Amino acid sequence: ELAPRAWYVTARDGVALSVVEHTAGCAADATVRMSRAAFERLLKAEPAAAGDLPIVRGNREAVAALKRWTELAAGG
């Protein structure tokens, strides 16, 4: 099994999205933790399985906006 990974997504008004695996110590507005299976379902636009939901801490509106943007980018 693969080790857990973290990605840092930065979204600022008027600036392209940035996704990096390491960050320079900036505090995140929100964090989302999920199992690999939950992440794979998310990528496939499948519903979350009962008992395997992503855990959101922090600014839920920011997470919801990022999810909407990715859905729009995917043609959803």
Side-chain angles (χ1 to χ4, degrees):
E1 183 170 315
L2 298 173
R5 309 261 313 260
W7 292 277
Y8 300 87
V9 179
T10 303
R12 292 191 176 103
D13 193 23
V15 179
L17 284 176
S18 166
V19 179
V20 295
E21 193 166 352
H22 302 283
T23 186
C26 298
D29 292 332
T31 61
V32 181
R33 296 180 69 100
M34 68 186 80
S35 69
R36 182 169 189 84
F39 184 65
E40 289 173 357
R41 282 191 298 275
L42 179 72
L43 292 176
K44 296 176 190 174
E46 295 176 354
D52 193 20
L53 301 174
I55 299 168
V56 178
R57 300 215 188 280
N59 187 336
R60 290 180 172 273
E61 290 177 6
V63 173
L66 181 59
K67 186 170 186 306
R68 280 192 306 274
W69 296 340
T70 57
E71 288 169 350
L72 288 170

